[in-house]
Amino acid sequence: MKVLEERHGPVAKVILNWPEVMNALDMEMRLELAQLLRRLSSDEEIRAVILTGAGKAFCAGGDIRSQQGLGIPQLRKRLDAAYECINLLMRIPKPVVAAVNGPAVGAGFSLALATDIIFASDKAKFSQVFSKIGLVPDAGSIYILSRMIGLPKAKELVFTGRMIEAREALEMGLINRVVPAAELNSAVLSFAAELAHGPTAAYGLAKQLFLQAQHNDLETFLKVESYSQIIAMHTRDYKEGVSAFLEKRQPRFTGQ
């Protein structure tokens, strides 16, 4: 298996598992990752997801060797498989936290960007390496980068393909936290567990609103927001949150 799953209570840890080639994304890994993410999306026992890589790398991007000699139909299938993974990460109705344990380059960088929160070890590095081999970024990189850090910085990263250290990525607003490598797993698991015990139904609705905010004008967005809030007000978590507030106690959310 090139994608592994570990369960830590309500948290699922998804591990890209081809460390011999820095977890490069061949077709097999793309399909396995998409299949697992689809299953986790509908698994009511899982309320938060961690994405990380086995060994010393997060993900080296597409596996160049396995795409040599492919025709247009086969190349399109490879790209579509990557796009499905990006879409699933961005739309899965529960928080996804990336634990970037080493290099995240090319499509591997895109996978990290598609998650909701990014923790990086102090040994992590990031690069839009595509230009180094004469390609344009794929897996949604330009779409996400330009919205996160603006066009000037996004274009610089894309055109130069330069490698940036975790601290610079943090300063640019690309990631959320940098932690010592030895503490990455425990820090991410603790954070994900905290999210998993929160109002995850509301988190899922909020994720959809973040996506809607990127496309719609204010009037349209507010209509979608109103619809989402009405849904949230009919959840058990909302009733529990109000009861806990009135009773001056900590809420016990269930994600329903």
Side-chain angles (χ1 to χ4, degrees), residues 114-203:
T115 66
D116 302 306
I117 305 289
I118 303 176
F119 278 57
S121 87
D122 52 8
K123 296 182 179 179
K125 297 180 180 181
F126 303 85
S127 173
Q128 287 292 313
V129 73
F130 299 96
S131 64
K132 299 293 187 181
I133 56 172
L135 292 178
V136 298
D138 60 25
S141 291
I142 289 178
Y143 179 91
I144 302 172
L145 275 176
S146 59
R147 286 163 171 76
M148 289 184 72
I149 59 175
L151 288 175
K153 283 292 185 182
K155 288 179 179 180
E156 177 189 345
L157 293 182
V158 168
F159 293 164
T160 65
R162 70 182 180 89
M163 192 76 73
I164 59 175
E165 304 286 339
R167 289 292 174 188
E168 183 178 359
L170 180 65
E171 292 169 0
M172 294 176 69
L174 285 168
I175 64 177
N176 298 87
R177 301 187 192 181
V178 178
V179 298
E183 301 173 13
L184 179 65
N185 285 332
S186 60
V188 172
L189 186 57
S190 176
F191 183 80
E194 182 179 345
L195 292 178
H197 288 91
T200 47
Y203 295 159

Side-chain angles (χ1 to χ4, degrees), residues 1-88:
M1 297 288 289
K2 290 184 177 176
V3 179
L4 304 179
E5 177 192 1
E6 293 179 359
R7 296 211 168 197
H8 303 266
V11 177
K13 187 175 184 180
V14 177
I15 306 168
L16 306 178
N17 184 44
W18 198 10
E20 296 83 2
V21 292
M22 298 176 66
N23 305 314
L25 295 163
D26 66 354
M27 191 63 170
E28 182 181 357
M29 182 180 285
R30 297 171 196 221
L31 294 175
E32 286 186 18
L33 178 58
Q35 181 181 36
L36 178 54
L37 291 174
R38 284 195 299 270
R39 179 163 57 79
L40 293 176
S41 180
S42 59
D43 189 334
E44 294 184 358
E45 294 184 357
I46 294 301
R47 298 174 60 195
V49 177
I50 295 170
L51 178 65
T52 193
K56 297 181 179 180
F58 179 76
C59 178
D63 180 41
I64 296 176
R65 293 168 299 179
S66 64
Q67 70 185 30
Q68 298 305 302
L70 296 180
I72 292 176
Q74 291 78 20
L75 290 172
R76 185 171 293 278
K77 285 182 179 180
R78 284 174 62 92
L79 289 169
D80 286 346
Y83 297 154
E84 183 177 12
C85 293
I86 297 297
N87 262 310
L88 285 165

Side-chain angles (χ1 to χ4, degrees), residues 241-256:
V242 172
S243 296
F245 176 79
L246 295 175
E247 296 167 10
K248 298 182 180 180
R249 60 174 174 80
Q250 290 297 314
R252 295 181 292 273
F253 294 120
T254 62
Q256 299 178 335

